[in-house]
Amino acid sequence: MYETEEDVTNVETKSTNNNNNNNTDTSATTNEPAKKVSEFMRVQKLFRQVSKYPSGKNIPKEKRDPIDYSIVLDFHNIESNTKENQDLIIDCTANVTNTEFQFNKETEIYVHPSEWKVYGLKGFPGFYFIKSPFTTPQEKIWIKNALNQYASPPNNNNNNLFHGPVEGLWKNGQLEMMKQDGLDVELKERPLDKKGKQLPTYCTLLDRLAWATLGYQYQWTPRKYVEDIYEDMPDDLQSLVQKIAVATNFHPYVAEAATVNFYNEDSIMGGHLDDAEEEMEKPIVSISFGATAVFLMGGETRDIAPIPLYIRSGDIVIMGGRSRYCYHGVAKIVEQSFNLDLIDDSDDIDMKYMIQWLKEKNRRININTRQVFKEPKLGGKLNKLHI
Ligand SMILES: O=C(O)CCC(=O)C(=O)O
Ligand SMILES: [Fe+2]
């Protein structure tokens, strides 16, 4: 990962290691000179709105031409698909739900596998789509994990690259939000970063949060994993994806690394391959929460037109087999698509603020895991697992 077409052609450079929200697309305009664009880029552009008047002034969001979503494949509403898309959908439910899962305490609130709906895509062997198997409380647990734990040291994230380790990112950001709401909280002075400058507000850092890494910490500049840069993989994430691997016949599977992506209403992820792993025969297992994405599932070159499909809150995508070698990306976060079931009316104040923060910018969290080594090493901790 991630050399995108933007990087290659310099049409729009997406940097992964600076301090800006690297996913944010600020470039959509119709007045670009005609260029030879790949099929991947052509489809990606169908989901970009003209954002500037010829004068260069910004067009307000509500005045932009609406996007035509009619070609987007929807596994949640099979009947509503175009005939072409219906022909691509393979119902694999029976193969998967026959598998017996060991449900344990942490996982018992998933919908039981016998009730899962699982689909494949014609022409993409090894690709599976599991319609959200999470209950709403379970979705909230993953959101909390991502914000509290995954985006904090010792795991790396894009803010840490720039400022050095930022402790308590969510906790401190929430205190700032509570203060803004007029609540009686005391804010501590923000520490200095690695360059000796005071950290920006935690809310600013949360707004810029674009990615975090788990397990073997992917090194973005040399584009590789380094054997001795490893932090513990969370046990609950390991347990979840191993069950998915059993269900989809990729067992045994050891998640040794994960990328956690934080999207907002303006984010995109350009077409890319995830090919830094020595082990490419094991799938990428990808879970998402919050807003809905238009995901592009492409071919082994950018010259093949990708299939746009919706990924909603709680859905799981498995890219194994040949689909592990295919270009993919996120073309659009669908306007006002935040999963309203997540709105929290409990007494859990942290959860309430997390959901509010996600909803206010139609945010989406994606967690995707990979096995890195052919002989999994898990940072020397493999014997902890029972696979
Ligand atoms: O957000 C997604 O659904 C895709 C993320 C992805 O492809 C990646 O992190 O490599
Ligand atoms: Fe990817």
Side-chain angles (χ1 to χ4, degrees):
M1 61 189 171
Y2 289 144
E3 188 164 3
T4 69
E5 191 165 1
E6 286 90 340
D7 297 333
V8 175
T9 60
N10 241 346
V11 178
E12 303 134 11
T13 304
K14 180 184 109 170
S15 162
T16 42
N17 56 9
N18 67 11
N19 193 38
N20 298 321
N21 188 339
N22 60 59
N23 289 321
T24 300
D25 171 26
T26 51
S27 64
T29 153
T30 44
N31 291 339
E32 282 172 9
K35 283 194 186 84
K36 168 102 184 71
V37 296
S38 69
E39 278 297 287
F40 196 99
M41 182 62 90
R42 181 185 64 75
V43 176
Q44 189 174 305
K45 288 191 166 192
L46 298 176
F47 299 96
R48 289 192 196 174
Q49 287 167 298
V50 180
S51 62
K52 290 191 193 310
Y53 292 113
S55 66
K57 258 182 69 185
N58 277 341
I59 309 179
K61 282 196 169 141
E62 63 283 3
K63 294 211 171 134
R64 296 179 190 170
D65 284 343
I67 291 170
D68 177 3
Y69 288 105
S70 62
I71 60 163
V72 183
L73 188 149
D74 189 354
F75 288 112
H76 282 251
N77 300 293
I78 304 291
E79 297 307 314
S80 73
N81 284 282
T82 60
K83 170 84 180 63
E84 228 178 354
N85 282 343
Q86 282 192 21
D87 289 346
L88 291 173
I89 297 173
I90 307 165
D91 191 338
C92 310
T93 305
N95 313 356
V96 170
T97 51
N98 283 341
T99 320
E100 256 318 302
F101 287 78
Q102 292 296 316
F103 262 51
N104 59 28
K105 246 187 146 157
E106 296 96 90
T107 57
E108 67 199 357
I109 50 174
Y110 295 130
V111 174
H112 192 273
S114 59
E115 290 168 42
W116 291 7
K117 288 300 281 180
V118 187
Y119 297 100
L121 263 186
K122 209 170 274 171
F124 295 87
F127 173 96
Y128 293 96
F129 182 99
I130 306 179
K131 222 164 99 173
S132 177
F134 299 96
T135 57
T136 301
Q138 189 72 27
E139 288 198 35
K140 289 182 185 174
I141 290 173
W142 291 107
I143 289 170
K144 206 173 222 180
N145 286 348
L147 288 171
N148 262 343
Q149 186 192 336
Y150 303 168
S152 276
N155 301 313
N156 203 5
N157 68 52
N158 60 304
N159 284 321
N160 292 358
L161 282 190
F162 198 80
H163 295 288
V166 176
E167 300 290 343
L169 173 62
W170 175 264
K171 201 174 115 244
N172 288 305
Q174 183 180 319
L175 287 174
E176 289 177 0
M177 293 173 211
M178 291 167 79
K179 180 103 187 164
Q180 281 163 24
D181 286 347
L183 295 174
D184 183 20
V185 290
E186 208 183 311
L187 300 182
K188 286 205 222 97
E189 200 179 338
R190 296 190 305 282
L192 303 183
D193 71 7
K194 69 176 182 188
K195 293 175 189 153
K197 285 201 173 152
Q198 190 180 33
L199 278 181
T201 66
Y202 290 98
C203 282
T204 304
L205 292 172
L206 277 173
D207 209 38
R208 290 177 185 163
L209 183 64
W211 56 261
T213 45
L214 306 179
Y216 284 105
Q217 306 279 310
Y218 184 70
Q219 305 296 299
W220 298 88
T221 308
R223 296 176 191 275
K224 61 177 190 185
Y225 298 96
V226 179
E227 244 186 75
D228 53 3
I229 309 186
Y230 176 82
E231 304 298 341
D232 281 349
M233 276 302 285
D235 289 342
D236 49 2
L237 185 59
Q238 185 71 260
S239 160
L240 168 68
V241 297
Q242 289 190 351
K243 286 184 173 56
I244 304 295
V246 172
T248 50
N249 296 319
F250 290 109
H251 176 78
Y253 177 78
V254 179
E256 296 187 286
T259 308
V260 185
N261 296 300
F262 297 88
Y263 296 83
N264 65 40
E265 57 196 352
D266 296 322
S267 305
I268 61 163
M269 182 179 281
H272 65 276
L273 294 176
D274 295 301
D275 57 2
E277 294 75 25
E278 173 192 293
E279 174 56 279
M280 293 281 288
E281 299 303 308
K282 300 287 175 178
I284 289 184
V285 179
S286 177
I287 61 179
S288 307
F289 305 100
T292 301
V294 174
F295 180 80
L296 301 183
M297 189 64 227
E300 289 182 44
T301 74
R302 293 182 208 269
D303 298 327
I304 298 169
I307 296 167
L309 54 95
Y310 287 122
I311 301 179
R312 294 193 170 77
S313 192
D315 291 340
I316 303 185
V317 169
I318 297 100
M319 284 185 284
R322 287 317 300 170
S323 70
R324 181 71 175 78
Y325 297 84
C326 290
Y327 281 88
H328 58 275
V330 170
K332 178 76 187 164
I333 301 296
V334 178
E335 302 89 334
Q336 300 187 359
S337 58
F338 189 76
N339 177 13
L340 299 177
D341 291 346
L342 291 170
I343 292 173
D344 204 84
D345 47 14
S346 72
D347 293 338
D348 182 344
I349 183 117
D350 296 357
M351 199 67 240
K352 209 175 121 206
Y353 271 93
M354 285 177 183
I355 300 300
Q356 199 172 294
W357 179 79
L358 287 169
K359 182 173 176 291
E360 83 191 356
K361 281 205 178 168
N362 202 26
R363 289 182 168 101
R364 169 177 186 259
I365 298 177
N366 166 265
I367 306 166
N368 63 77
T369 65
R370 304 111 197 272
Q371 178 168 328
V372 175
F373 296 106
K374 285 206 171 297
E375 283 294 328
K377 303 177 204 293
L378 211 63
K381 298 186 178 161
L382 191 65
N383 54 4
K384 261 180 59 186
L385 289 183
H386 308 281
I387 56 166

